[in-house]
Amino acid sequence: MMAPRLDNEFAREMEGFYVPWTGAKVPEPRLLRFNRALADELGLPSGFENREDAARLLAGMDSLEGTTPLAMVYAGHQFGQFSPQLGDGRALLIGETIDRDGRRRDLHLKGSGPTPFSRRGDGKAVLGPVLREYLIGEAMHALGIPTTRALAVVTTGETIYRDALLPGAVLTRVAASHLRVGTFEFFAACGDHARLKKLADYALRRHYPALATRDDRYLALLAAVVERQASLVAQWMLVGFVHGVMNTDNMTISGETIDYGPCAFMDRYNPETVFSSIDRQGRYAYGNQPRIAVWNLARFAESLLPLIAPDDPAKAVAPATELLDQFRSQYQRFWLAGMRAKLGLAREDEKDGALAGDMLAIMAQAGTDYTGFFRSLAGAVTGGGEAAIAALGGHGEARAWLLRWRERIAAESSAPGEIPARMNRINPLYIPRNHLVEAALDDAYSGNMETFDALLTALQSPFEARPGMEALTAPAPESCGPYRTFCGT
Ligand code: AMP
Ligand code: MG
């Protein structure tokens, strides 16, 4: 049959962590996009998307056979302030699939209507932000970065008021799980240590099974999450990604990127880059992301203290702090390994960190297009390097840096002919550049999905140059001005 086999382990085992709930009825559910490649990976039967009730199911107004849709509870620090109760205010977990590789993955709807956690929100989502999450999630996935992904987009036939009247939509999101730092903060803040323990044991079983039976498993959980987040944020930094709203409720225990709201890719290199209109202090600026990750992990660590040392949580502070202190060096290690690869370096040299740091300083001065630069650098291995020098500002300092890099490349054991291909396999040509994403969403609002589909196709194979797609590689024209993203999602 065309019914996907879903499990509901979370619903079954984790009572007290959610409320059972169903989606709102919407007037005209219509399946706008379905990610068949992802559906295959999940083992969803072919033809599922052609079921007559597919749109109703993926809008959340009908429930799939055997599922118990639910809204999860969580808390979170938003822009540094604690909100004791957030939760799925416009989302539902419909169940889990076991994918082709045996991994349990959540199927989750975003925009499916109000829940007991909606506070003053309407429980809805609108088309633009839903398509944005689809594009950017797929782009991140194709770049090899752990992320939630979009399985489907349904338009609801409703008109939703944001800053304008906009068409409503529901996103089906796939995630390794929806356990967040904020989920732990909720039960820690309630002082419900029994549930906190149950949550930690569940997270261990689901994401870190090798640690689940250790005596020191809660400290091990902290160590594992710290390391995964160090790796994740390093990968964001290496591609120029700005998450934009790194609240603790938007940080997963699995180490996947989640909640594509006001996120965007940086074009001109500048560590102070902020896109979100609500981030007035630049708390979540590009260059602050590693620091904020540690801040969030400290909130996670605090939540775990009563589990790490149940008799006297104060005794857990020193070992937890020691683990948090390791974030910086782990992050540096992940980042430098990634940056070496971007620069075409397979060997390690102790001066590589300085070589990369000096490059970034020149880029910041010159306002270099971050993504484009590494592709021009690949051309400089055997060519004259004029494009790379121009990208760095064209001055003597830029030339001197390129000479240093050339000398370093000469010390590699690979044949020079192999290096550019190796670089172009990891330095993307196509990223979701802001003006392109906006154009795709504008056209989608006028009922034309061609721009979205063309951009999605490029983003799904980001390293491979394709004829006819040259326009997708260029930075935004100056006339676009500074880019702003809005949280009216
Ligand atoms: P986010 O900024 O998407 O991470 O959401 C933060 C919190 O606000 C979560 O608890 C969401 O469920 C809730 N939320 C965001 N938008 C809405 C909405 N339109 N209606 C109800 N709750 C919302
Ligand atoms: Mg969120």
Side-chain angles (χ1 to χ4, degrees), residues 237-453:
M237 298 299 281
L238 287 164
V239 297
F241 175 74
V242 185
H243 183 284
V245 57
M246 284 178 75
N247 294 333
T248 56
D249 51 304
N250 293 338
M251 181 181 259
T252 59
I253 302 307
S254 67
E256 281 184 347
T257 312
I258 198 169
D259 264 357
Y260 294 98
C263 62
F265 278 68
M266 174 177 68
D267 37 21
R268 292 164 165 272
Y269 181 79
N270 175 0
E272 287 167 23
T273 302
V274 177
F275 296 110
S276 170
S277 60
I278 58 166
D279 191 2
R280 292 198 188 83
Q281 314 288 322
R283 178 180 171 90
Y284 299 140
Y286 171 78
N288 267 351
Q289 295 184 118
R291 243 191 311 269
I292 290 294
V294 190
W295 192 92
N296 289 350
L297 290 163
R299 308 290 77 76
F300 183 50
E302 283 163 6
S303 303
L304 292 175
L305 296 180
L307 302 182
I308 296 171
D311 299 331
D312 181 5
K315 287 208 181 96
V317 172
T321 307
E322 202 175 302
L323 289 177
L324 291 170
D325 287 345
Q326 288 172 18
F327 179 95
R328 198 74 227 176
S329 59
Q330 289 170 348
Y331 167 81
Q332 276 301 334
R333 185 164 47 76
F334 287 125
W335 183 84
L336 188 56
M339 186 50 82
R340 275 201 184 96
K342 288 180 81 64
L343 293 172
L345 309 174
R347 277 192 42 236
E348 290 182 17
D349 183 299
E350 60 181 0
K351 293 198 287 290
D352 293 342
L355 183 71
D358 293 345
M359 170 196 74
L360 293 179
I362 300 172
M363 280 186 167
Q365 278 289 323
T368 305
D369 178 63
Y370 179 77
T371 301
F373 174 72
F374 293 97
R375 297 293 289 211
S376 50
L377 195 62
V381 176
T382 51
E386 288 310 314
I389 291 168
L392 291 178
H395 40 57
E397 211 189 334
R399 282 178 194 283
W401 184 86
L402 199 83
L403 277 178
R404 260 168 83 196
W405 172 77
R406 277 236 168 90
E407 279 170 26
R408 178 63 186 80
I409 281 283
E412 287 288 308
S413 47
S414 338
E418 289 167 17
I419 296 176
R422 189 167 80 205
M423 292 171 74
N424 288 341
R425 274 197 299 275
I426 58 148
N427 290 316
L429 186 56
Y430 306 111
I431 56 160
R433 291 186 181 271
N434 304 317
H435 64 294
L436 301 175
V437 173
E438 288 308 308
L441 305 190
D442 280 349
D443 286 352
Y445 275 130
S446 347
N448 167 12
M449 291 295 288
E450 276 173 36
T451 318
F452 174 91
D453 289 334

Side-chain angles (χ1 to χ4, degrees), residues 72-78 80-88 117 119 181-191 248-249:
M72 288 169 77
V73 68
Y74 52 87
H77 277 84
Q78 302 181 302
Q81 298 298 313
F82 187 58
S83 300
Q85 192 183 297
L86 296 167
D88 288 332
F117 306 121
R119 293 172 295 155
V181 168
T183 321
F184 285 78
E185 289 181 283
F186 179 84
F187 293 97
C190 298
T248 56
D249 51 304

Side-chain angles (χ1 to χ4, degrees), residues 146-177:
T147 179
T148 66
R149 293 180 65 188
L151 178 67
V153 177
V154 167
T155 52
T156 61
E158 282 183 315
T159 301
I160 309 291
Y161 185 71
R162 288 291 180 262
D163 20 53
L165 290 170
L166 296 169
V170 179
L171 177 76
T172 307
R173 171 161 89 181
V174 175
S177 87

